[in-house]
Amino acid sequence: MMIHSQDRRNHDTPTIHDLIQQAADILAHARRLVVLTGAGISKESGIPTFREAQQGLWARHDPQRLATMQGFLADPKLVWDWYQFRLGLVEQAQPNPGHRAIAGLEPLLPHVTVITQNVDGLHARAGSHQVLELHGNIYRFKCLRGHGNLSMADLADQKATPPLCPHPNCQALVRPDVVWFGENLSYSVLNRAVAAAEACDVMLIVGTSGVVQPAASLPYNAWHARARIIEVNPEESDLTDLAHVYLAGPAGEMLPLVLAAMSDQQAGAVAR
Ligand code: OAD
């Protein structure tokens, strides 16, 4: 397991235990925490990531055909069926100890915002209350004329694939309410995410390669605002150089250890 920390003050390499303690100490003092997550947080729930060699979705599928408006217009059924397949994976998945540890930070800290690039809804299912979904939600649908907030239940009577919009006199094609390549994110969600990143004093980055904009800029907003930055990822990412503490391991193992260290530190402080 690789370890690394900008907080290193001597030439001894800190152990993973030291780094977990450092992360716990930074988090315990956070007044405004932002947790930024990507596909890696859900990997231990059985949901594939995008860019990992061989296993990543984009290693096996062409994002231009499956995750762009052009791809949808060229073959709506292919794209609809692919998202239905992914929806099936998400429905079978359960939040993992990483999601639960993030939800477990809420009662310990004054202010926690989760900003996720994931569309799987697992943070909310784990109990996080303030979640900004930058790339939409795979359980939600909208039509090409802009009728939104449709659920699978709203489309249940439909025989067509993809379904047609159930709004009176509309009948436009229905698509997943997720952000495809070349599309803008929701202004209100992005504005709230940028404001949260600029106002935070600690940012915890989990399981993102940090290559997709504008999400990948949020750690820079936090860094310029002098936030402390912690990263959890088994592999170094494009954001690792920003991290004051880098925990090189899976989120489902690292985050519960950090939470336990915070509880131990708190119990120690009470005992003293
Ligand atoms: P990526 O697939 O690009 O990156 C996943 C990251 O998770 C990698 O850095 C992995 O090393 C890391 N990882 C793997 N297992 C992990 C674990 N157990 N714990 C923690 N980290 C782990 O996924 P994203 O960065 O989320 O957008 O990709 C960003 C966006 O690109 C996605 O939202 C999606 C995709 O195209 C859209 O579909 C619009």
Side-chain angles (χ1 to χ4, degrees), residues 38-40 43-44 50-51 58 117 135 179 181 207-209 233-234 251:
K43 183 170 173 185
E44 289 154 272
F50 295 96
R51 287 178 188 75
W58 298 153
Q117 297 163 85
H135 293 164
V179 176
F181 289 103
T208 179
S209 54
N233 194 320

Side-chain angles (χ1 to χ4, degrees), residues 137-212:
N137 189 301
I138 200 165
Y139 289 94
R140 208 171 53 223
F141 302 89
K142 61 185 181 185
C143 85
L144 294 192
R145 289 213 183 98
H147 295 118
N149 245 335
L150 301 168
S151 67
M152 274 313 274
D154 295 322
L155 307 170
D157 297 341
Q158 299 272 335
K159 296 272 180 299
T161 309
L164 304 177
C165 181
H167 277 257
N169 305 322
C170 183
Q171 301 269 300
L173 287 175
V174 171
R175 56 163 281 184
D177 193 355
V178 299
V179 176
W180 284 332
F181 289 103
E183 294 186 322
N184 289 327
L185 282 63
S186 148
Y187 261 119
S188 88
V189 174
L190 181 59
N191 283 345
R192 281 187 285 156
V194 170
E198 286 174 344
C200 73
D201 57 352
V202 180
M203 179 175 274
L204 171 61
I205 305 169
V206 187
T208 179
S209 54
V211 298
V212 173

Side-chain angles (χ1 to χ4, degrees), residues 121-132:
L122 286 175
H123 283 298
R125 279 171 63 194
S128 287
H129 290 97
Q130 170 88 339
V131 184
L132 298 176

Side-chain angles (χ1 to χ4, degrees), residues 2-272:
M2 212 180 81
I3 50 179
H4 153 100
S5 167
Q6 285 188 10
D7 278 355
R8 192 161 40 199
R9 289 196 179 80
N10 56 42
H11 294 293
D12 295 336
T13 305
T15 65
I16 193 71
H17 175 78
D18 296 335
L19 294 172
I20 286 166
Q21 293 297 328
Q22 285 176 20
D25 193 42
I26 291 172
L27 284 167
H29 292 95
R31 279 161 297 145
R32 299 186 80 85
L33 171 68
V34 165
V35 186
L36 174 67
T37 67
I41 183 78
S42 294
K43 183 170 173 185
E44 289 154 272
S45 294
I47 299 175
T49 59
F50 295 96
R51 287 178 188 75
E52 285 183 280
Q54 279 138 37
Q55 308 157 350
L57 287 175
W58 298 153
R60 288 172 289 141
H61 301 278
D62 178 2
Q64 291 303 323
R65 288 180 73 205
L66 296 170
T68 64
M69 181 57 98
Q70 291 85 335
F72 182 66
L73 293 175
D75 195 341
K77 183 175 181 317
L78 175 82
V79 174
W80 180 264
D81 286 345
W82 194 64
Y83 274 89
Q84 287 293 298
F85 161 71
R86 285 181 55 197
L87 177 60
L89 289 182
V90 167
E91 280 175 331
Q92 284 164 26
Q94 296 299 325
N96 68 55
H99 297 105
R100 287 199 291 273
I102 290 170
L105 290 168
E106 268 186 35
L108 304 179
L109 299 178
H111 202 278
V112 180
T113 304
V114 177
I115 304 175
T116 188
Q117 297 163 85
N118 300 344
V119 297
D120 57 31
L122 286 175
H123 283 298
R125 279 171 63 194
S128 287
H129 290 97
Q130 170 88 339
V131 184
L132 298 176
E133 294 177 317
L134 291 175
H135 293 164
N137 189 301
I138 200 165
Y139 289 94
R140 208 171 53 223
F141 302 89
K142 61 185 181 185
C143 85
L144 294 192
R145 289 213 183 98
H147 295 118
N149 245 335
L150 301 168
S151 67
M152 274 313 274
D154 295 322
L155 307 170
D157 297 341
Q158 299 272 335
K159 296 272 180 299
T161 309
L164 304 177
C165 181
H167 277 257
N169 305 322
C170 183
Q171 301 269 300
L173 287 175
V174 171
R175 56 163 281 184
D177 193 355
V178 299
V179 176
W180 284 332
F181 289 103
E183 294 186 322
N184 289 327
L185 282 63
S186 148
Y187 261 119
S188 88
V189 174
L190 181 59
N191 283 345
R192 281 187 285 156
V194 170
E198 286 174 344
C200 73
D201 57 352
V202 180
M203 179 175 274
L204 171 61
I205 305 169
V206 187
T208 179
S209 54
V211 298
V212 173
Q213 297 294 353
S217 292
L218 296 170
Y220 289 86
N221 295 123
W223 192 84
H224 283 296
R226 309 182 79 81
R228 308 290 285 166
I229 297 183
I230 301 165
E231 185 187 36
V232 180
N233 194 320
E235 306 292 332
E236 290 197 18
S237 75
D238 278 23
L239 302 170
T240 305
D241 282 347
L242 293 182
H244 299 94
V245 178
Y246 168 50
L247 300 175
E253 290 175 28
M254 293 293 122
L255 291 174
L257 290 172
V258 172
L259 200 69
M262 287 173 74
S263 303
D264 289 350
Q265 287 178 5
Q266 238 177 20
V270 170
R272 278 194 296 274

